Amino acid sequence: MSQVEKKAGLLRRTSSSKKPLKEKVVLMYDEIFAKEDPAKNNPRFWDELFLMKVNLEYLESKLESIDGEDVQCIQDNINSLFHHCVQALGEEHQIKVVNALQTLCALFRGVHQKNKSASGFDIINMLMGFDKAEQRMKDLMESLDSLLCGDGSESLKSLCLKLLLCLVTVTDNISQNTILEYVMINSIFEAILQILSDSSSRGQHGYDAVVLLALLVNYRKYESVNPYIVKLSIVDDEPTLDGMGMVVHQALTEYNRQYKDKEEEHQGGFFSALTSMVGSMFIADADEKLSVQTNEAILLALYEAVHLNRNFITVLAQSHPEIDIVPAPPTPTPTTPTTPLGTTPPSLDVINNPELPLDPNLQTSNLLITFLKYASIVMQDTKDEHRLNSARLCLIILTCIAEDQYADAFLHDDNMNFRVTLHRMPMRHRKKAVGKNIPSRPLVCAVLDLMVEFVVTHMMKDFPFDLYLRCVQIIHKLLCYQKKCRIRLHYTWRELWSALINLLKFLMSNETSLLSKHNIFHLALLIVNLFNMFITYGDTFLPTSNSYDELYYEIVRMHQVFDNLYCMVLRVSTNAGQWKEAASKVTHALVNIRAIINHFNPKIESYAAVNHISQLSEEQVLEVVRSNYDTLTLKLQDGLDQFERYSEQPKEAAFFKELVRSISLNVRKNVSLNTLSQDVLLKEFSTIS
């Protein structure tokens, strides 16, 4: 026999003069797409159909090729096929269940592909008949729930999740997928939780379960009461929340490991030798090669957990051995989906064994540390839309964390110290940091380091204004907590002050181009008020009196920047124009900074003149500052330690709608039914009668 042909159901050519023979299953599909009832002359038609290996390509293409007039003629047969698929899910014969699940996937995809412009009601009618849809979907969801929660085959459970992911993502905008109303009514939330709470099923299916949950939570979330949102917000079962955290942690860990491997490969290769010869002129090109595809789906799952469920905050801080040094298994199991770099589902060994032995010499980690490392990678390059979305989502997650009291408590806990190696963007004017020198500090230091790193490295023509706003707001929220709880954090605050002053310089240097797109006065106001926080309340949270002196030294040293800022905002605020009010607010906010500059500058100049010193040392300036505090008069400014709490609706609604659309398209592309090889499934169940 000659080799089987893959095209649209062709089996073999008997000779060059004869037509190709069709597989029996293809002939049976053709009967379904004829006008007659296929079971009319063959009562065993449906039993036989589900014993046949599904030809997905042929069935989907057949559905897509139906002409408008023919739809009405064969609708009863398609309804019948859907009905018998659902019935077959209850069969003891596992091959029938496998074939029924795959046929349902082809039905959902084929009908939606054919009817992209049709209403959701028309699609429901074509698939199952509108009058019977409620019962059909109830039966389908109950069968899937039973299969997911039962003791059956892991491959079947994986295929059930593939079917659900296929169903959720058949439309570009999941909120326009009317069939999901039935998924809301007949919830599989408990089945998803069961998968996540059990170490064995979590290892096999946790990734798909978490992504599915994140997508379902986003179905019409702003238009109606979504039961998945309600249920996720009240979960307090520790094993379930831990399980969700482990899945997210391992997916981010895998991303970090892939990036690290690429970075090491890049540094040790030919390109490294080339750049050492010709300088750093190719740095930008080299960095692009380090890109690893971002994973917005798993980030969205983390966001929904942090945002909706306060109990999940505890999961962020749970310590365990640093697992991103564990190499990934060389060969994935047959049930592992094939996905691009960076979207790899968690490897089974780590998730199945959360209680790894603790080596006293092994660095411990937690979900928050892994997330911060991930954020430090994706926030390096925001030119690509996916990475920009990932960076924005990372900052939104950090915003939620920064304003949560419990999260702030463990971020600032001096008894929970970690060495967090953040990735830093290669820049010509600074050396690459050596991770071994990083001290063990409270986690808030790593968050502040990440914010400072972003501020320093993204002052560019295509200015990510929105991300800068979020960075500065996160810093402010952390300072508010430190002021409120009188936490004296041992942090190199001068790096932050320097970064913020340089940011103000950048805003002024690019005033014209930036103002055509952004209200830079709003960002400038936030930056100035950060300095006002330090000036007004620094004595409650700066670690030493010397730190307070250094703050004044930095303001006086860089007085030209603040003087120029005052001139700019005064000019804009005294002219009628779009930015008059915004600039005026900055003018008022600068009152204490200007008072400090105007008070200390003459005294420093006088000290230099009296002592005949042309240029004072830092210590000499600090001495002048310390001895002249008493005569300094500052104004009390209200509201510096107040902030607007994060709210997704309405400010972030448009961002999340587009993000979910992008994730849905990506999941649809990656959830190929062939990732669970039909041959593997059929071989697994071939011995079952």
Side-chain angles (χ1 to χ4, degrees):
M1 185 184 291
S2 60
Q3 188 176 358
V4 176
E5 289 194 51
K6 293 180 181 177
K7 292 283 183 186
L10 301 184
L11 180 63
R12 62 184 183 276
R13 294 185 182 278
T14 51
S15 73
S16 58
S17 61
K18 291 185 179 182
K19 288 183 180 180
L21 298 176
K22 287 186 175 181
E23 298 174 69
K24 185 174 180 182
V25 73
V26 169
L27 295 170
M28 296 181 85
Y29 292 153
D30 288 342
E31 287 186 59
I32 294 170
F33 287 94
K35 295 175 185 179
E36 293 287 325
D37 177 1
K40 185 177 179 181
N41 299 319
N42 179 7
R44 289 187 51 76
F45 179 87
W46 298 110
D47 283 332
E48 291 175 10
L49 178 69
F50 294 111
L51 288 170
M52 304 280 173
K53 179 180 175 182
V54 180
N55 189 319
L56 296 166
E57 187 181 351
Y58 186 82
L59 181 54
E60 280 189 50
S61 63
K62 196 76 175 171
L63 284 161
E64 288 175 37
S65 65
I66 305 169
D67 289 329
E69 295 176 3
D70 294 337
V71 171
Q72 295 294 326
C73 301
I74 63 163
Q75 183 174 306
D76 287 345
N77 285 357
I78 293 174
N79 289 174
S80 191
L81 173 59
F82 190 95
H83 171 56
H84 284 93
C85 282
V86 175
Q87 278 194 324
L89 297 182
E91 293 272 2
E92 289 184 18
H93 203 310
Q94 301 287 277
I95 283 182
K96 285 188 175 182
V97 180
V98 169
N99 289 329
L101 286 167
Q102 296 197 331
T103 304
L104 281 167
C105 284
L107 271 172
F108 283 128
R109 292 207 300 209
V111 168
H112 276 89
Q113 200 63 29
K114 169 65 185 172
N115 297 278
K116 281 185 175 179
S117 59
S119 74
F121 299 111
D122 291 337
I123 286 173
I124 290 169
N125 200 35
M126 184 178 175
L127 273 172
M128 51 196 113
F130 202 72
D131 56 333
K132 300 185 182 74
E134 195 170 326
Q135 188 59 48
R136 294 280 184 270
M137 285 302 296
K138 183 174 185 289
D139 294 342
L140 171 60
M141 297 307 293
E142 285 178 355
S143 294
L144 293 175
D145 189 80
S146 297
L147 289 167
L148 288 170
C149 296
D151 298 326
S153 156
E154 297 301 327
S155 298
L156 268 185
K157 291 182 182 182
S158 192
L159 194 52
C160 286
L161 287 167
K162 291 286 182 292
L163 170 59
L164 286 162
L165 284 168
C166 170
L167 170 57
V168 172
T169 60
V170 282
T171 55
D172 292 354
N173 180 349
I174 65 169
S175 293
Q176 292 175 351
N177 186 352
T178 314
I179 296 177
L180 291 186
E181 285 295 332
Y182 301 110
V183 183
M184 296 293 120
I185 297 165
N186 305 287
S187 175
I188 49 152
F189 184 80
E190 285 72 22
I192 293 173
L193 292 199
Q194 184 172 316
I195 288 168
L196 295 175
S197 62
D198 178 76
S199 61
S200 175
S201 64
R202 180 173 63 243
Q204 296 278 347
H205 319 295
Y207 184 88
D208 282 349
V210 161
V211 172
L212 176 62
L213 180 57
L215 289 170
L216 289 171
V217 160
N218 279 276
Y219 173 73
R220 295 188 179 172
K221 69 192 307 189
Y222 308 121
E223 301 154 36
S224 59
V225 177
N226 180 322
Y228 290 84
I229 291 178
V230 176
K231 291 180 178 183
L232 178 57
S233 66
I234 58 175
V235 174
D236 59 359
D237 179 61
E238 202 172 313
T240 304
L241 293 172
D242 289 349
M244 190 183 301
M246 285 178 197
V247 173
V248 174
H249 178 265
Q250 183 55 19
L252 296 181
T253 297
E254 180 62 18
Y255 177 96
N256 294 347
R257 185 192 61 76
Q258 289 176 12
Y259 181 86
K260 191 176 177 183
D261 288 350
K262 276 199 163 192
E263 191 177 42
E264 288 173 357
E265 177 187 325
H266 161 74
Q267 286 170 351
F270 165 77
F271 207 92
S272 180
L274 182 63
T275 52
S276 67
M277 286 191 295
V278 296
S280 56
M281 58 189 290
F282 295 116
I283 276 181
D285 295 334
D287 293 339
E288 286 173 18
K289 296 184 180 182
L290 293 181
S291 279
V292 181
Q293 184 170 336
T294 53
N295 191 341
E296 284 94 0
I298 215 73
L299 263 193
L300 179 66
L302 176 59
Y303 163 75
E304 296 296 358
V306 168
H307 179 231
L308 295 174
N309 191 303
R310 292 209 65 212
N311 300 313
F312 188 80
I313 292 291
T314 61
V315 175
L316 294 173
Q318 286 174 0
S319 297
H320 44 70
E322 179 75 85
I323 57 176
D324 61 359
I325 57 172
V326 178
T331 312
T333 61
T335 56
T336 301
T338 306
T339 51
L341 287 180
T343 57
T344 312
S347 56
L348 309 186
D349 51 350
V350 175
I351 290 186
N352 282 339
N353 299 287
E355 299 301 326
L356 294 169
L358 279 169
D359 180 342
N361 298 316
L362 190 63
Q363 164 74 12
T364 55
S365 182
N366 56 38
L367 176 53
L368 182 57
I369 291 174
T370 303
F371 167 67
L372 290 172
K373 289 181 179 180
Y374 176 90
S376 73
I377 296 170
V378 298
M379 285 166 63
Q380 286 183 39
D381 176 17
T382 55
K383 295 188 183 85
D384 169 75
E385 185 186 357
H386 288 288
R387 297 173 80 81
L388 179 65
N389 286 340
S390 278
R392 181 174 289 134
L393 190 47
C394 285
L395 289 171
I396 291 174
I397 292 168
L398 281 171
T399 300
C400 294
I401 290 170
E403 62 183 47
D404 182 276
Q405 292 290 305
Y406 181 82
D408 280 326
F410 73 72
L411 279 175
H412 292 85
D413 190 341
D414 213 21
N415 297 313
M416 291 174 61
N417 292 339
F418 297 89
R419 288 185 181 86
V420 183
T421 310
L422 299 176
H423 293 265
R424 303 178 81 207
M425 189 186 291
M427 296 181 77
R428 292 177 180 86
H429 63 273
R430 69 176 182 187
K431 294 179 181 178
K432 189 170 177 63
V434 182
K436 291 177 183 177
N437 298 332
I438 295 171
S440 190
R441 305 174 296 171
L443 282 174
V444 68
C445 296
V447 179
L448 289 168
D449 282 350
L450 183 62
M451 298 302 98
V452 170
E453 174 67 11
F454 183 86
V455 169
V456 168
T457 56
H458 288 77
M459 291 180 241
M460 52 197 181
K461 187 178 178 182
D462 191 11
F463 187 67
F465 181 80
D466 173 69
L467 302 192
Y468 269 99
L469 278 180
R470 294 177 195 277
C471 273
V472 174
Q473 287 166 340
I474 289 166
I475 295 166
H476 180 234
K477 288 173 183 183
L478 294 172
L479 290 181
C480 288
Y481 180 81
Q482 290 166 26
K483 178 256 176 185
K484 177 186 171 185
C485 300
R486 294 183 171 266
I487 294 169
R488 297 189 182 277
L489 184 69
H490 288 274
Y491 183 71
T492 50
W493 291 112
R494 287 180 84 160
E495 288 186 10
L496 171 63
W497 301 330
S498 175
L500 293 174
I501 290 169
N502 283 325
L503 178 53
L504 287 174
K505 280 172 70 176
F506 176 83
L507 294 180
M508 287 184 285
S509 300
N510 297 274
E511 176 192 351
T512 307
S513 60
L514 289 175
L515 271 178
S516 64
K517 301 175 186 175
H518 313 293
N519 178 3
I520 61 170
F521 299 109
H522 178 48
L523 179 56
L525 179 65
L526 293 177
I527 296 166
V528 169
N529 278 338
L530 279 184
F531 280 99
N532 285 330
M533 273 284 289
F534 283 103
I535 293 165
T536 309
Y537 302 118
D539 58 333
T540 65
F541 62 82
L542 285 172
T544 63
S545 59
N546 195 48
S547 305
Y548 203 64
D549 301 336
E550 287 174 354
L551 167 67
Y552 279 63
Y553 170 80
E554 204 63 29
I555 290 171
V556 172
R557 186 177 73 87
M558 300 300 290
H559 71 90
Q560 195 65 55
V561 175
F562 294 106
D563 291 342
N564 292 343
L565 177 63
Y566 181 73
C567 291
M568 182 180 90
V569 293
L570 190 64
R571 166 174 49 82
V572 176
S573 64
T574 51
N575 295 322
Q578 180 184 0
W579 307 112
K580 179 181 173 73
E581 188 181 344
S584 181
K585 288 180 181 178
V586 183
T587 309
H588 296 307
L590 281 165
V591 61
N592 282 340
I593 292 176
R594 295 191 71 240
I596 290 167
I597 293 167
N598 293 335
H599 177 74
F600 287 108
N601 258 357
K603 291 182 168 46
I604 291 168
E605 288 168 9
S606 172
Y607 180 90
V610 168
N611 292 282
H612 307 291
I613 304 170
S614 60
Q615 193 166 355
L616 300 183
S617 68
E618 180 177 334
E619 192 49 52
Q620 288 168 324
V621 174
L622 285 170
E623 185 54 44
V624 175
V625 168
R626 290 187 193 106
S627 57
N628 286 281
Y629 275 131
D630 294 346
T631 51
L632 174 65
T633 305
L634 298 175
K635 288 187 178 179
L636 186 63
Q637 293 177 306
D638 295 328
L640 292 175
D641 57 345
Q642 304 297 313
F643 58 81
E644 184 183 350
R645 292 190 68 82
Y646 170 79
S647 175
E648 183 181 317
Q649 172 75 342
K651 286 186 178 178
E652 312 292 350
F655 166 68
F656 278 103
K657 280 180 181 176
E658 282 307 308
L659 180 73
V660 171
R661 180 190 290 268
S662 171
I663 291 168
S664 182
L665 290 169
N666 197 44
V667 170
R668 184 201 308 169
K669 186 172 66 178
N670 292 328
V671 178
S672 164
L673 292 168
N674 295 319
T675 55
L676 261 180
S677 164
Q678 287 179 300
D679 294 332
V680 171
L681 287 165
L682 294 174
K683 184 177 180 182
E684 180 177 343
F685 299 120
S686 61
T687 56
I688 303 172
S689 56

